[in-house]
Amino acid sequence: MSKKHPINAGYRRSSVTSPYGLTRETQQALARMVAAARAQGVRIVVRSGYRSYSLQAQILASKIREYGSESLARRYNAAPGRSEHQTGLAVDLWDGVTWGVGVRNTKTGKWLWANAWRYGFILRYPNGKEKITGYAFEPWHYRYIGARAKDFGANSNQTLEEYLGLA
């Protein structure tokens, strides 16, 4: 799912877990990744997991008001039906202190970029790929794709669209 490949308001993710509303497989992989990072002295905090269609609509409307520009808000915020968070496969991750593009320069951001693939996650919106993904660089947004993440490897700027031959 993406800006070009939406889902409808009736979509329901499978095997939902707590506390983030992720699919069971995604939650298990996330727990393994967070534990591995912790063992290396890196703190990973989930800022956002699953979002419903209606919550995504509220978030976008709020960001449009905050930014004063719909086009600017849509660079970082998906319309309902176009947010990967609605699948239960996406998480926004940070260190609990530094938010925004600055995440990339934190110990957590660097660890995630180098290691998330080992746990089935990819950086979904890499730097310089806005024309492909439709979203500005988001060093906090990780998408679970399972074993195929090994094809991305450490510090990858490859997009899911490129990997799938859609770009």
Side-chain angles (χ1 to χ4, degrees):
M1 84 143 346
S2 65
K3 279 188 176 181
K4 294 179 183 175
H5 301 94
I7 57 175
N8 66 40
Y11 172 83
R12 298 291 176 260
R13 67 218 184 281
S14 62
S15 66
V16 180
T17 62
S18 292
Y20 308 113
L22 304 173
T23 67
R24 186 173 326 285
E25 188 176 354
T26 305
Q27 180 61 43
Q28 290 169 347
L30 176 64
R32 287 191 303 273
M33 183 169 70
V34 168
R38 187 180 315 117
Q40 295 178 31
V42 175
R43 179 177 185 226
I44 297 176
V45 178
V46 176
R47 184 166 173 135
S48 182
Y50 169 76
R51 296 182 199 146
S52 68
Y53 190 95
S54 61
L55 178 58
Q56 192 63 38
Q58 292 170 14
I59 289 170
L60 180 60
S62 171
K63 292 300 182 178
I64 290 170
R65 285 190 303 275
E66 179 184 331
Y67 295 152
S69 163
E70 184 170 349
S71 62
L72 180 59
R74 287 180 183 262
R75 287 187 67 212
Y76 292 99
N77 301 276
R82 287 165 164 60
S83 172
E84 290 187 332
H85 287 280
Q86 289 174 244
T87 66
L89 300 170
V91 287
D92 291 343
L93 304 170
W94 65 317
D95 63 1
V97 178
T98 302
W99 184 245
V101 177
V103 167
R104 73 174 159 189
N105 297 320
T106 65
K107 188 175 181 181
T108 299
K110 291 175 184 178
W111 190 93
L112 285 166
W113 197 37
N115 294 287
W117 67 275
R118 299 177 194 277
Y119 305 92
F121 290 90
I122 60 166
L123 176 64
R124 186 61 181 90
Y125 306 120
N127 198 15
K129 301 291 182 125
E130 185 172 353
K131 287 183 180 175
I132 295 170
T133 66
Y135 295 100
F137 176 44
E138 293 188 1
W140 59 84
H141 185 98
Y142 281 81
R143 160 80 185 266
Y144 182 75
I145 64 168
R148 296 203 178 240
K150 72 180 180 339
D151 296 336
F152 287 72
N155 305 321
S156 176
N157 272 326
Q158 180 177 217
T159 67
L160 187 57
E161 288 84 358
E162 290 168 322
Y163 179 76
L164 295 174
L166 301 173

